[in-house]
Amino acid sequence: MEILKKAATWTGVALTAVCGVVLLGGGKVTSGILLIATAFVMVLPVRHRLPRGVRVALLCAVLAVVVVNVSTTELPGSSHGMVAACGDESAGTFTPTGYKFLDQLRYILGNFLAQAAPS
């Protein structure tokens, strides 16, 4: 059971850090920094001194701030036309699904992938 607990902890830390890197590359700097800092704090041995409830509450607070920040992402509209496509590579190929938050996450991921693509 101890091995499963450690594996789950390190998986959570790795996923938090990867999501932070994606958000940084996608243009959401505040959210990316918050998630990367949270991943570092999750690794520190000092975290065992805080009660589990406090740690969970702090993690939920950080995730709530990240969700609010992501939800403020402006999606490219059809009225932007060529102007948005010239300045933003992923805006020209973006097709909405109808779910705003999912579209915002896809748009941020598309921006990250456009920056990560080889020149």
Side-chain angles (χ1 to χ4, degrees):
M1 192 60 156
E2 187 66 28
I3 294 173
L4 182 64
K5 183 178 175 183
K6 283 186 180 185
T9 300
W10 283 105
T11 302
V13 170
L15 286 175
T16 303
V18 167
C19 287
V21 170
V22 169
L23 287 172
L24 274 174
K28 290 297 185 177
V29 177
T30 304
S31 295
I33 290 172
L34 275 174
L35 284 182
I36 291 173
T38 301
F40 277 118
V41 170
M42 289 168 72
V43 172
L44 292 176
V46 176
R47 68 181 174 92
H48 294 292
R49 294 184 184 162
L50 290 174
R52 180 174 288 163
V54 173
R55 287 184 286 162
V56 169
L58 288 174
L59 182 63
C60 289
V62 168
L63 292 177
V65 170
V66 169
V67 166
V68 167
N69 190 301
V70 168
S71 69
T72 62
T73 302
E74 293 290 328
L75 295 174
S78 59
S79 63
H80 289 73
M82 291 300 292
V83 176
C86 292
D88 190 2
E89 297 171 7
S90 61
T93 60
F94 182 75
T95 55
T97 62
Y99 298 102
K100 188 175 180 182
F101 190 73
L102 177 63
D103 290 341
Q104 290 166 331
L105 287 175
R106 287 182 52 233
Y107 184 66
I108 292 170
L109 182 63
N111 286 340
F112 170 76
L113 292 175
Q115 286 189 1
S119 301

